[in-house]
Amino acid sequence: MKPNHRPTGTADAQALLTRAVTHHQNGQLAEAATLYEQVLKRLPKQADALHLSGLIKAQTGAPAEGIERIRQAVKADPNQPVFHVNLGRLLEAAERLEEAATAFRNAARLAPLDPTPARMEAAVRTRQGRQEPAAQALLRAMALEPADAGSAADLGDALYDCGRFLPAANWYGRAARLEPHRVLAAFNRGAALRDAGRPDLAEAAFRALTGLAPQMVEPLEQCLQIRQQSGDGAGAIAAARRLLALDPGRPAAVRSLGGSASDPVWLARLVRMEPLAEEPVLALAGRLYGRRTAEAERAYRHALALAPASGLALSGLGLVRATLGMQGATRWSLRAVRVAPDDAALAANAGSAFQLALQPEAALSWHRRALALMPGDAAAWVNIGTLLLDANAAEEAIPPLERARRLGDPGQLALANSNLGVAWMALGLHGEAVAAFRAALDRAPEDAAIRSNMLFCLCFDDRADPVGVFREHRAFERHLPAIPAVPHVVESRDPERTLRVGYLSPDFQRYPGPGYHFLLPLIEGHDRRAVEVTCYHNDRSRDATTERFQAAADRWRDVAALSDEDLDRRIRQDGIDILVDAGGHMSRNRMPLVARRPAPLQVSLPLYPNTTGLSAVDYQIADPRVAPPGADALHAETLIRLPGCVLCYRPAESGFAPPDRPPLERNGHVTFGSFNNITKVNAATIALWARLLALVPTARLVLKWRGLGSGGGADRRLLAAFARHSIGAERLELRGITPDPYQDYLTIDVALDPVFANGGTTICDALWMGVPVLNQSGPTKIGRWGATMLDAVGLGELVTRDDDGYLAQGVRLATDRGFLDAQRHDLRERMRRSALMDEPGYTRAVEAGYRTAWRRWCAGLPPVAFDVVEGEGRA
């Protein structure tokens, strides 16, 4: 008889497999994958190699190949539960839910004593909306592990959603008994008993829960409702009083005295009570939109599950998905208008969805369709005006917005007036804009976005009393909902430890804000031994600069879709010590969130040109020029004055450099220019510039901003304003925005800074391109940007105090070639060496400011104004 030898190939394959598994366990996926393939060349049906190589394929971006490979493993050895479990996981990740459920079911049959596959099957069935199979799977899991409170609660949910309320109540009860801290299970038990038609037992369950969770208001609300429905008036009043004592502003208690039933919290409970009723789900979605938009999206999906052909649900889903920046949002809007082609509201919503998706031509088409269906529809007129505003056609936006206002639709008046305010502000007509914003606030006094728009506009209004503007900023927080103070949990009160600093901004991108120039140097320059940086990006847009911000941050959070409550929670969970707001009351701000004080210390980095007005903001960064003595009185914050400049400028990449000689040599005349937002070009500025042009008859003036140079309404308004001062159109050149903002500085000799509202980025851009800036310092912060930036570069001689000084220096620049050349000479290099571009010095000074503020907080001391000493914070 021959000896029984093992084939050599099998032994080699087993050795290779052992090595492959070792590599796999150590995370060396490429090496493991190679060895698995070598095993399979020797033994094509080796089940473990098929299974494990399939996992690696899924881990390395080839899920379909991974699924197929594990299917081969199952075929080779169908009796391994783990093969079926992992096959189910990959199928679930690939959204092949039915196949995933089958795989988990097969695993459960092969491992009849393991409850895990049954739980996995239940989770997949729940995602499919197939609650009955989910319940059956959970029953099998509970039979194997009767003390699993989580599965008991999930089984209660599944049975509840099947309408089997009494069994659901029993399982909720088991979950609550197994783990008494499961307050939600106890609450759901009461809800299930209520919906099973057992109000007596439900009320007893809710009453018991009030003893377990005395600060929880929902059980009291349910007791109130049950007593109201049973006709127990005295009991309802008693429950309402208890509820009001616990939470004086609770809608349910107020509603018991005749309040509104449209609060989203109340509607959410209605949906819970009537999960198959389309109307409350749609009402809830509508109320959530604009407040908790991500939750509104889920509510609209819920409504569609109940009524797949609901035009309102389809339209709402398209609108919220477009608001959240989701791909394919507009297809839902198109489905809605196909369902109800003659519904003007759905056509208008389609227009708004296309507008949010940055498809203006399609948006305009649908807005016009809405008007054709209902010419008196104020919402459609508002939408057209808004579309024109987004296209930088402020002048053209005014007639449709005025039309909407005249129609007098109560539901549209606030938005129509608010957008009119935006249009007037864009044209530099701040008095008219403020009046429109106030009219909007008369209709919607709690609308924080409208109030922020008005505050931002007041910063530019040269007729507004600075003290009155300060009071308006302080009043902002009075119109916010009252939020109970929540104590902060900090890592430690060590005053010298690494600080967790969070930067909140919508401008972590190249455009449209100044983030690239002023935030990126700071975030990239932080000493990571002193500061750990978290960026909270409050915008859906991203570009290459966003990637740079994200790479520079220690942690990155996209927060545009988060509600204030959720973002508050996120910041607290991140353990932020100092939250730095860089938005103020500008567009896309989160002032209501900041007012909640999610961090123990909060600082304003003033890209916004005023106080935030919030008591919750402890400090604002400043310098002695932008905030001279006396400025503190007009700040809600205490001021940290830096020794150099309030901001530090980093120029953008560009192929353009300052010319060797000024353009006047080529043109034969001096060319003035202003590339500022025309909201800063107010009547006083136009009058002053017209006087300068009259004093220098050969000079020309170039104005550049979005929407100019097209021959549209903004052009006509500016030309007419100069004509009233006897300056003809031939003396002016209007230009639109160019891809490279530095390009047109090659064509001007001197930049003119607007009076009252100075430039910021434009001053720095001009200086970087070797163009001196003529400035007039004003009485408010927005009029002192020029002083701080020009002084920092050594051009203080161009900072004037009044119109006469401005004109005198303007004429001198135009007529004294030696003076002009002296201002332009080597300006880029002078700027590079100045405090305005000293990134390390600026960052160390800011860090020193943060550290001093933190030390005071650790010592229990209140905020106090202080100066950072030159060189403080440097190693």
Side-chain angles (χ1 to χ4, degrees):
M1 179 180 294
K2 294 182 179 180
N4 182 17
H5 293 297
R6 176 182 292 179
T8 303
T10 303
D12 289 347
Q14 187 59 45
L16 287 171
L17 182 60
T18 300
R19 288 170 55 202
V21 169
T22 300
H23 284 307
H24 200 159
Q25 291 171 339
N26 291 332
Q28 298 168 307
L29 301 186
E31 294 86 345
T34 300
L35 292 174
Y36 287 140
E37 295 300 330
Q38 292 178 21
V39 172
L40 291 172
K41 284 181 181 179
R42 290 166 171 76
L43 300 174
K45 295 185 178 181
Q46 214 293 331
D48 289 324
L50 288 166
H51 169 236
L52 295 170
S53 65
L55 289 179
I56 287 183
K57 286 183 180 294
Q59 287 175 279
T60 55
E65 295 178 30
I67 289 169
E68 180 56 32
R69 185 63 65 88
I70 296 180
R71 284 196 188 281
Q72 293 173 24
V74 169
K75 186 175 180 180
D77 187 353
N79 295 319
Q80 294 294 330
V82 69
F83 293 0
H84 294 275
V85 166
N86 285 335
L87 177 60
R89 285 174 170 152
L90 297 189
L91 289 166
E92 182 180 4
E95 299 294 328
R96 294 162 63 175
L97 300 182
E98 186 60 38
E99 296 172 77
T102 300
F104 291 137
R105 185 67 180 272
N106 290 335
R109 281 198 294 267
L110 292 168
L113 300 181
D114 184 355
T116 302
R119 293 194 198 103
M120 291 177 166
E121 181 192 354
V124 171
R125 294 303 187 191
T126 299
R127 286 185 62 188
Q128 289 179 296
R130 299 184 61 190
Q131 302 300 337
E132 188 63 46
Q136 294 302 318
L138 287 166
L139 282 168
R140 294 195 300 273
M142 287 302 300
L144 294 169
E145 195 169 346
D148 181 5
S151 291
D154 290 343
L155 181 53
D157 288 340
L159 292 168
Y160 185 98
D161 290 340
C162 290
R164 295 162 61 186
F165 300 122
L166 281 176
N170 290 334
W171 286 106
Y172 285 137
R174 179 185 288 194
R177 287 192 300 276
L178 288 168
E179 293 183 2
H181 68 273
R182 284 187 176 268
V183 174
L184 181 59
F187 179 86
N188 287 345
R189 175 174 177 265
L193 289 167
R194 176 202 63 207
D195 294 343
R198 299 299 304 272
D200 51 339
L201 296 177
E203 186 181 359
F206 288 130
R207 277 203 314 273
L209 182 54
T210 62
L212 180 65
Q215 298 301 312
M216 188 176 178
V217 297
E218 286 79 4
L220 278 173
E221 290 175 326
Q222 294 298 326
C223 289
L224 169 62
Q225 181 191 5
I226 290 170
R227 290 173 181 177
Q228 286 174 327
Q229 291 175 343
S230 67
D232 179 4
I237 290 172
R241 285 176 175 167
R242 287 186 63 196
L243 187 54
L244 283 170
L246 183 61
D247 186 351
R250 198 68 183 179
V254 175
R255 191 173 293 107
S256 71
L257 303 175
S260 167
S262 61
D263 182 83
V265 175
W266 177 251
L267 286 169
R269 289 193 289 276
L270 288 180
V271 170
R272 181 69 173 172
M273 291 162 52
E274 299 178 289
L276 302 181
E278 177 190 0
E279 184 177 349
V281 177
L282 279 171
L284 173 63
R287 294 288 293 173
L288 289 171
Y289 176 62
R291 301 180 182 187
R292 305 176 70 92
T293 305
E295 293 179 32
E297 195 264 351
R298 293 192 289 271
Y300 277 122
R301 284 196 173 278
H302 183 176
L304 278 176
L306 300 174
S310 167
L312 187 56
L314 288 164
S315 179
L317 183 59
L319 196 55
V320 298
R321 287 178 69 84
T323 301
L324 293 168
M326 295 181 174
Q327 294 295 320
T330 53
R331 67 186 177 91
W332 298 98
S333 302
L334 294 176
R335 284 180 58 187
V337 294
R338 283 196 293 270
V339 168
D342 295 327
D343 190 317
L346 300 191
N349 281 352
S352 296
F354 277 102
Q355 191 169 341
L356 289 164
L358 304 180
Q359 299 181 50
E361 292 183 3
L364 184 58
S365 174
W366 282 109
H367 288 323
R368 286 174 173 162
R369 170 68 177 164
L371 280 175
L373 291 168
M374 190 179 294
D377 182 11
W381 288 108
V382 169
N383 288 338
I384 288 179
T386 305
L387 185 64
L388 291 166
L389 277 177
D390 289 346
N392 300 310
E395 185 77 33
E396 288 75 11
I398 292 171
L401 292 170
E402 291 279 18
R403 176 74 177 271
R405 188 162 66 171
R406 287 196 300 273
L407 287 168
D409 181 349
Q412 295 297 319
L413 276 174
L415 186 56
N417 278 302
S418 176
N419 285 352
L420 268 172
V422 173
W424 291 122
M425 181 180 172
L427 295 169
L429 301 170
H430 306 112
E432 293 87 337
V434 169
F437 288 133
R438 291 196 190 281
L441 290 171
D442 286 343
R443 291 277 172 177
E446 309 305 318
D447 192 311
I450 296 175
R451 196 167 295 277
S452 279
N453 283 342
M454 184 187 73
L455 295 178
F456 190 33
C457 183
L458 282 169
C459 296
F460 298 92
D461 188 353
D462 57 352
R463 294 171 295 180
D465 171 35
V467 175
V469 173
F470 171 68
R471 288 173 179 159
E472 289 281 7
H473 279 77
R474 292 293 287 136
F476 178 85
E477 61 190 11
R478 294 205 299 269
H479 297 276
L480 298 175
I483 304 294
V486 178
H488 297 94
V489 178
V490 299
E491 180 183 317
S492 78
R493 287 181 175 257
D494 177 1
E496 307 307 321
R497 68 170 170 81
T498 300
L499 292 175
R500 291 180 177 173
V501 178
Y503 286 92
L504 172 64
S505 174
D507 289 329
F508 296 134
Q509 51 193 309
R510 179 68 184 89
Y511 292 112
Y516 174 92
H517 296 296
F518 301 117
L519 288 176
L520 191 57
L522 182 58
I523 290 172
E524 285 188 340
H526 271 308
D527 179 355
R528 289 317 196 264
R529 295 167 300 177
V531 173
E532 176 188 283
V533 173
T534 302
C535 286
Y536 297 95
H537 183 43
N538 191 50
D539 196 69
R540 297 180 338 209
S541 300
R542 294 179 66 93
D543 60 18
T545 296
T546 311
E547 304 304 321
R548 292 185 61 178
F549 275 107
Q550 188 163 352
D554 298 292
R555 288 183 293 188
W556 180 266
R557 309 291 189 214
D558 287 302
V559 301
L562 295 185
S563 67
D564 289 341
E565 180 182 3
D566 291 338
L567 181 50
D568 185 345
R569 187 180 304 113
R570 175 75 270 176
I571 293 169
R572 291 174 186 273
Q573 288 171 350
D574 287 339
I576 297 301
D577 302 313
I578 301 177
L579 181 66
V580 182
D581 173 71
H585 290 281
M586 295 188 290
S587 64
R588 301 164 293 146
N589 76 70
R590 298 301 294 262
M591 285 289 96
L593 172 277
V594 175
R596 299 169 69 104
R597 190 181 277 278
L601 269 179
Q602 301 196 144
V603 176
S604 166
L605 188 69
L607 299 181
Y608 177 72
N610 212 315
T611 178
T612 63
L614 299 182
S615 304
V617 180
D618 304 288
Y619 294 94
Q620 186 175 94
I621 302 296
D623 69 32
R625 291 176 296 270
V626 81
D632 305 67
L634 296 183
H635 285 79
E637 313 84 359
T638 53
L639 299 182
I640 301 174
R641 289 178 171 88
L642 305 184
C645 188
V646 67
L647 296 172
C648 183
Y649 173 80
R650 178 183 291 181
E653 294 85 356
S654 171
F656 295 100
D660 293 333
R661 308 299 296 167
L664 68 85
E665 290 192 0
R666 179 179 64 254
N667 298 329
H669 59 77
V670 165
T671 303
F672 296 115
S674 172
F675 301 168
N676 287 276
N677 186 331
I678 60 173
T679 193
K680 299 182 179 184
V681 184
N682 57 20
T685 295
I686 291 173
L688 184 60
W689 288 351
R691 289 176 63 190
L692 179 59
L693 290 173
L695 290 169
V696 188
T698 60
R700 301 289 187 272
L701 174 61
V702 176
L703 299 178
K704 175 182 174 181
W705 188 245
R706 295 186 186 94
L708 293 183
S710 63
D715 286 8
R716 294 191 295 274
R717 184 179 288 274
L718 274 173
L719 293 174
F722 276 95
R724 286 193 289 272
H725 296 281
S726 303
I727 300 299
E730 73 281 358
R731 306 278 308 275
L732 304 170
E733 183 179 348
L734 307 182
R735 301 177 187 171
I737 296 298
T738 54
D740 190 314
Y742 298 116
Q743 176 179 349
D744 284 340
Y745 285 103
L746 297 174
T747 68
I748 66 172
D749 299 286
V750 176
L752 300 181
D753 206 17
V755 298
F756 188 79
N758 294 171
T761 305
T762 50
I763 291 177
C764 297
D765 289 349
L767 297 176
W768 182 245
M769 287 302 294
V771 178
V773 180
L774 178 59
N775 165 266
Q776 182 182 132
S777 183
T780 63
K781 177 180 289 184
I782 201 169
R784 293 193 287 263
W785 291 117
T788 192
M789 292 175 175
L790 293 171
D791 280 351
V793 180
L795 293 180
E797 199 171 0
L798 299 184
V799 178
T800 65
R801 299 289 177 252
D802 52 32
D803 288 358
D804 289 342
Y806 192 97
L807 293 171
Q809 287 294 63
V811 171
R812 186 181 180 192
L813 286 164
T815 59
D816 183 341
R817 178 61 186 274
F819 182 64
L820 176 63
D821 287 347
Q823 308 309 308
R824 292 179 64 100
H825 175 68
D826 205 27
L827 184 50
R828 173 172 284 195
E829 286 307 310
R830 283 188 282 156
M831 182 183 184
R832 200 195 305 271
R833 295 190 299 268
S834 76
L836 187 53
M837 289 185 65
D838 178 10
E839 293 186 10
Y842 176 77
T843 306
R844 298 294 84 78
V846 170
E847 289 172 350
Y850 292 165
R851 181 63 63 184
T852 299
W854 176 250
R855 288 169 180 154
R856 290 189 62 82
W857 185 85
C858 290
L861 299 173
V864 64
F866 62 88
D867 294 349
V868 175
V869 178
E870 183 73 41
E872 188 176 352
R874 292 184 184 272

